[in-house]
Amino acid sequence: MKIKELDLGPQPVLLAPMEDVTDIPFRNLCKHYGADLMYTEFVSADAIVRDVSSSMKKLTIMPQERPVGIQIYGKEIEPMVEAAKRVEEAEPDIIDINFGCPVKKIAGKGAGAGMLRDIPKMVRMTAEIVKAVKHTPVTVKTRLGWDEETKFVVDTAERLQDVGISAITIHGRTRAQMYTGEADWTLIGAVKNNPRMHIPVIGNGDICTAERARQCFDRYGVDAIMIGRASIGRPWIFEEVKHYLSTGEILSQPSMAEHVRRIKQQLSDTLDWIHDERKAILHIRRHMAVSFKGLPDFRDLKIRMLQAPTINEVNICLDEIAERYAEL
């Protein structure tokens, strides 16, 4: 699959942009395990225009993690255009427009998936960004529609293509669904199989196993798949999917000792990036909570691990996990 001149090879597997998740340490892990293209955390256009330091830091891309896209969101056209120009100066491989985030603080204010309530404005905004960006492919990530009555994604995708985007990612839910229910891939397939579409179509939603990844390619014909929440606490899902796509074999799960080693490495990398022990622990808590989900008789140890105030104490809990559940 190619996004303009960016060649990602056949059946690429992408890491979705996720707030407070897809920072540099996590992207490095996903790259190590085979992610073909990754995205930064999504960044507010208004914050970029105002030069907010915490948001500007999110534009940082390290050479070893490329290719990487930077995703921006906003509700007004002018600041989105200005932000796109500023983002291009950071030299990402792709600039992605967020028309899919469903959370109230973004969508409720008209940005992200909120744009699905005003498709003409979405198209105008996209056209202006494409015209303003000089050298970098512009892509879009969106949803099926605002709700069950407005699932117009087939027409919307075509209109966005016609104003110049280079690829589109579709999450198979409406904004009203948030992350509940099952992703509907039939409409993603309908976009891909629209004979008027000629740009890559990337499918997203509920890809939690290597087998499901293969089904999405085979059944719906998408050019690439994007994995989001299933990678949290389990960045090696990219390795599992890539191996299965190329060989048809299911990789054996890592031992608990290896599982723990990988989480420790992520914690160490996060500390190196953040330079603050407490913030590093807080940042990785969600990864640890998800990573060991389902372990029997785990509640007390989980609470200790998530409440541990120092990295040393976190590592003690992790070592106990490795020992207690060594046979799993």
Side-chain angles (χ1 to χ4, degrees), residues 114-132:
M115 277 288 173
L116 290 165
R117 304 178 87 173
D118 191 346
I119 301 299
K121 183 177 181 180
M122 177 195 289
V123 174
R124 291 197 307 274
M125 176 183 287
T126 303
E128 291 303 315
I129 291 172
V130 169
K131 285 192 291 185

Side-chain angles (χ1 to χ4, degrees), residues 31 76 166 215 232 234 262:
K31 179 74 172 183
E76 300 300 340
S166 299
Q215 288 175 356
I232 300 174
R234 190 180 156 211
R262 294 174 182 185

Side-chain angles (χ1 to χ4, degrees), residues 254-282:
S255 67
M256 190 55 68
E258 176 62 14
H259 195 145
V260 165
R261 186 197 67 77
R262 294 174 182 185
I263 294 296
K264 283 184 174 182
Q265 184 63 55
Q266 185 177 353
L267 179 56
S268 176
D269 292 346
T270 301
L271 178 61
D272 289 343
W273 171 243
I274 295 178
H275 302 299
D276 183 300
E277 183 176 33
R278 184 61 180 163
K279 289 182 179 179
I281 292 170
L282 292 173

Side-chain angles (χ1 to χ4, degrees), residues 44-289:
S44 162
D46 291 336
I48 292 171
V49 171
R50 298 197 313 269
D51 208 26
V52 176
S53 59
S54 59
S55 295
M56 299 306 290
K57 186 176 182 181
K58 293 179 181 178
L59 306 185
T60 304
I61 296 173
M62 306 304 287
Q64 71 272 14
E65 58 175 335
R66 289 185 181 276
V68 175
I70 294 176
Q71 189 187 73
I72 58 174
Y73 71 91
K75 67 176 181 177
E76 300 300 340
I77 294 175
E78 186 176 341
M80 281 287 282
V81 170
E82 183 60 32
K85 293 177 182 177
R86 295 282 301 275
V87 166
E88 188 169 35
E89 295 172 3
E91 299 184 345
D93 298 280
I94 286 170
I95 296 174
D96 193 66
I97 309 172
N98 181 331
F99 291 143
C101 180
V103 301
K104 185 176 181 179
K105 68 178 182 179
I106 293 175
K109 295 179 180 179
M115 277 288 173
L116 290 165
R117 304 178 87 173
D118 191 346
I119 301 299
K121 183 177 181 180
M122 177 195 289
V123 174
R124 291 197 307 274
M125 176 183 287
T126 303
E128 291 303 315
I129 291 172
V130 169
K131 285 192 291 185
V133 171
K134 301 302 182 184
H135 308 292
T136 310
V138 174
T139 61
V140 160
K141 186 172 190 285
T142 189
R143 289 184 168 232
L144 303 180
W146 178 258
D147 54 24
E148 285 297 311
E149 286 69 47
T150 59
K151 295 197 288 189
F152 305 137
V153 69
V154 175
D155 177 70
T156 302
E158 189 175 334
R159 292 174 67 181
L160 293 170
Q161 171 189 258
D162 290 347
V163 297
I165 65 169
S166 299
I168 187 167
T169 300
I170 303 166
H171 182 103
R173 289 181 172 87
T174 64
R175 188 275 170 176
Q177 285 181 273
M178 301 291 286
Y179 295 103
T180 63
E182 293 184 4
D184 178 5
W185 277 72
T186 58
L187 280 175
I188 300 175
V191 173
K192 174 58 189 174
N193 294 311
N194 178 355
R196 293 183 292 276
M197 291 294 290
H198 56 78
I199 60 173
V201 175
I202 302 158
N204 173 228
D206 294 349
I207 301 176
C208 300
T209 67
E211 297 97 320
R212 179 57 177 161
R214 166 57 69 193
Q215 288 175 356
C216 290
F217 276 118
D218 291 348
R219 188 174 299 171
Y220 304 104
V222 291
D223 298 285
I225 58 170
M226 179 178 284
I227 297 176
R229 290 173 295 158
S231 68
I232 300 174
R234 190 180 156 211
W236 48 89
I237 189 173
F238 295 97
E239 182 178 48
E240 295 172 357
V241 169
K242 299 280 284 186
H243 183 79
Y244 186 74
L245 290 176
S246 62
T247 69
E249 299 173 352
I250 299 293
L251 275 179
S252 59
Q253 293 298 300
S255 67
M256 190 55 68
E258 176 62 14
H259 195 145
V260 165
R261 186 197 67 77
R262 294 174 182 185
I263 294 296
K264 283 184 174 182
Q265 184 63 55
Q266 185 177 353
L267 179 56
S268 176
D269 292 346
T270 301
L271 178 61
D272 289 343
W273 171 243
I274 295 178
H275 302 299
D276 183 300
E277 183 176 33
R278 184 61 180 163
K279 289 182 179 179
I281 292 170
L282 292 173
H283 191 72
I284 201 174
R285 274 181 177 173
R286 76 167 64 184
H287 298 268
M288 294 191 295

